[in-house]
């Protein structure tokens, strides 16, 4: 299972939100590029980048910083936030050097378009599912739909998606651990045959160990994104990588 340190960018800084709430922001570093280098030095083999300004604006905003992260770390990076049309996808994948683009809102609202994009960029498009009580949230988590996470993912069964990135909003940034319902949801997603990356709530090494054990039983659980816990020091990248990837 791969460990993906998260770098959330807003106003050019590295920040974390609580439950996706823009009014509950903590600035952890003024230089996201320096943070990216730190996570690389800790042993990370891939980075998870989020353009929070882009998520709100509906288009990528912080691409210059993203380009610098890609160039200066040399790591494969995945990016989400405001990627909702062909131009944005092309700009991110072909112009910014991003390895994987994450699409959430439009996968729910324009399923045919999402299928077309996956067909155009096989293995390079991740389905971002942000859920509250297992129901899909969209527009930078500002709205909750009437579609369940499993229903949304099932539409794309058999497509060459890079991964399903599953985030439980209730856990995200709260430092409360990964709950059993979230794990159950992720297991159900893996049973659709889709690779799944866990996101939200990974707080301690116990969470990393638990997810690693689930991954060993359900190999389609291929990764875990860690955010606030790295910035607050409750998890070290090097230790998480050692535990999660030891049997990889």
């Amino acid at each position: 299972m791969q460990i993906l340190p998260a770098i959330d960018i807003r106003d050019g800084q590295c920040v974390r939100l609580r439950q996706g709430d823009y009014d509950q922001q903590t600035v952890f570093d003024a230089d996201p590029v320096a943070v990216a280098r730190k996570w690389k030095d800790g042993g990370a083999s891939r980075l998870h980048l989020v353009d929070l300004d882009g998520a709100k604006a509906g288009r990528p905003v912080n691409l210059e910083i993203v380009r610098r992260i890609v160039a200066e770390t040399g790591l494969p990076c995945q990016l989400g936030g405001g990627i909702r049309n062909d131009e944005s996808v092309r700009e991110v994948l072909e112009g910014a050097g991003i390895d994987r683009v994450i699409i959430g809102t439009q996968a729910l609202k324009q399923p045919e378009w999402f299928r077309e994009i996956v067909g155009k960029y096989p293995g390079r498009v991740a389905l971002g599912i942000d859920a509250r009580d297992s129901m899909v949230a969209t527009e930078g988590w500002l709205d909750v739909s009437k579609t369940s996470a499993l229903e949304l993912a099932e539409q794309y069964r058999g497509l060459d998606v890079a991964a399903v990135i599953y985030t439980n909003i209730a856990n995200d940034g709260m430092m409360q651990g990964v709950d059993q319902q979230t794990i159950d949801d992720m297991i159900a997603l893996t049973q659709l045959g889709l690779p799944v990356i866990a996101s939200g709530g990974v707080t301690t090494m116990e969470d990393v160990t638990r997810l690693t054990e689930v991954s060993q039983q359900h190999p389609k659980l291929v990764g875990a994104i860690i955010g606030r816990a790295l910035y607050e020091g409750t998890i070290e990248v090097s230790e998480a990588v050692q535990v999660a990837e030891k049997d990889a």
Side-chain angles (χ1 to χ4, degrees):
M1 185 181 76
Q2 190 174 50
I3 295 296
L4 297 86
I7 300 176
D8 291 5
I9 305 164
R10 188 181 186 197
D11 296 329
Q13 299 178 305
C14 180
V15 309
R16 295 298 294 170
L17 307 181
R18 290 187 182 275
Q19 296 183 327
D21 186 344
Y22 284 73
D23 293 327
Q24 296 191 62
Q25 170 182 294
T26 304
V27 176
F28 281 103
D29 201 297
D31 186 358
V33 182
V35 173
R37 287 197 297 263
K38 178 181 178 182
W39 299 153
K40 179 187 179 179
D41 291 344
S45 54
R46 178 183 293 274
L47 299 175
H48 174 76
L49 312 180
V50 181
D51 184 347
L52 288 172
D53 297 303
K56 218 169 187 180
R59 56 176 177 77
V61 172
N62 290 293
L63 285 187
E64 187 50 47
I65 291 172
V66 168
R67 289 187 187 96
R68 287 183 54 214
I69 289 173
V70 171
E72 295 195 26
T73 65
L75 293 178
C77 298
Q78 58 191 37
L79 174 70
I83 301 164
R84 297 176 192 166
N85 57 43
D86 290 61
E87 182 183 355
S88 295
V89 173
R90 184 170 57 254
E91 191 177 19
V92 168
L93 289 178
E94 299 176 12
I98 284 294
D99 178 55
R100 293 176 185 162
V101 64
I102 303 164
I103 298 174
T105 296
Q106 295 304 82
L108 176 68
K109 296 191 171 183
Q110 294 188 37
E112 286 307 318
W113 174 79
F114 182 78
R115 288 189 183 91
E116 288 174 11
I117 289 295
V118 173
K120 188 174 182 180
Y121 298 99
R124 299 190 66 194
V125 180
L127 171 61
I129 300 183
D130 303 325
R132 190 185 297 278
D133 298 323
S134 301
M135 306 303 285
V136 177
T138 63
E139 308 292 350
W141 299 357
L142 301 176
D143 297 317
V144 177
S145 74
K146 295 181 180 178
T147 302
S148 76
L150 202 58
E151 285 171 338
L152 179 59
E154 205 155 15
Q155 293 183 50
Y156 304 120
R157 194 175 191 169
L159 291 186
D160 189 7
V161 294
V164 175
I165 299 169
Y166 184 75
T167 305
N168 182 343
I169 299 173
N171 293 342
D172 193 73
M174 298 304 291
M175 300 290 285
Q176 293 176 350
V178 182
D179 64 281
Q180 189 58 47
Q181 181 59 53
T182 300
I183 288 176
D184 290 344
D185 286 348
M186 290 188 295
I187 289 172
L189 290 168
T190 67
Q191 290 170 344
L192 295 176
L194 297 164
V196 176
I197 296 174
S199 173
V202 182
T203 305
T204 65
M205 283 306 301
E206 286 182 15
D207 292 315
V208 175
T209 299
R210 188 178 181 198
L211 288 171
T212 301
E213 290 169 352
V214 173
S215 173
Q216 289 165 352
Q217 295 175 338
H218 302 275
K220 283 289 187 180
L221 180 61
V222 297
I225 293 166
I226 308 178
R228 184 177 287 268
L230 296 179
Y231 296 92
E232 297 198 355
T234 61
I235 295 177
E236 294 289 335
V237 169
S238 56
E239 189 179 1
V241 168
Q242 187 175 7
V243 168
E245 300 186 3
K246 63 183 177 182
D247 296 320

